[in-house]
Amino acid sequence: MPARVYATEAIILGPAASKTFELLSARLSPWLSGPLTFMLVLLAGDLLLVILLPKRAESYLEKVLIDTFMFGILGLLAAVTYQAAELHLAVKPNLGPVAVLVFLLFLSISEDTSR
């Protein structure tokens, strides 16, 4: 996959995911806002992938339901980390950029396995 796709995904998804987590965490507990942020980043990233590379996006969309479930579980793990950081370090991290990094890593790994 071209590097411009990764850069475009990061530039668009980064601020959007950060703002999404801020809005969700203000209204919901981290146990809900973490998984929701991760799943929304995956779905938005897949939508961007369809827009940027429609011919190659089919292989990513075949398993979108399973991937969404896995990103929800990763969001729960991130919520555990969020709670630990808030409790022990008195810091409120933003899980939005973490979700984008996990999504980009997911793209990279799935690109390598599809070859």
Side-chain angles (χ1 to χ4, degrees):
M1 183 174 315
R4 67 177 169 80
V5 173
Y6 289 112
T8 305
E9 296 254 0
I11 289 170
I12 293 173
L13 288 177
S18 180
K19 189 67 172 171
T20 300
F21 182 75
E22 287 175 9
L23 292 173
L24 287 175
S25 65
R27 296 191 171 108
L28 300 172
S29 75
W31 298 104
L32 290 174
S33 58
L36 280 175
T37 301
F38 271 69
M39 289 188 284
L40 288 173
V41 164
L42 173 73
L43 296 175
D46 283 345
L47 180 65
L48 279 172
L49 195 61
V50 168
I51 292 170
L52 296 173
L53 295 171
K55 294 177 184 173
R56 295 176 67 186
E58 182 182 333
S59 64
Y60 295 104
L61 296 177
E62 287 175 354
K63 301 178 289 184
V64 73
L65 188 61
I66 294 170
D67 295 341
T68 306
F69 179 72
M70 288 180 56
F71 266 70
I73 291 174
L74 289 172
L76 282 174
L77 291 173
V80 169
T81 307
Y82 177 91
Q83 289 290 327
E86 189 176 40
L87 180 67
H88 296 295
L89 302 175
V91 174
K92 290 190 174 201
N94 191 330
L95 296 181
V98 175
V100 173
L101 290 174
V102 169
F103 176 72
L104 292 175
L105 180 65
F106 168 75
L107 274 184
S108 175
I109 290 172
S110 58
E111 179 72 20
D112 286 343
T113 58
S114 67
R115 288 183 190 171

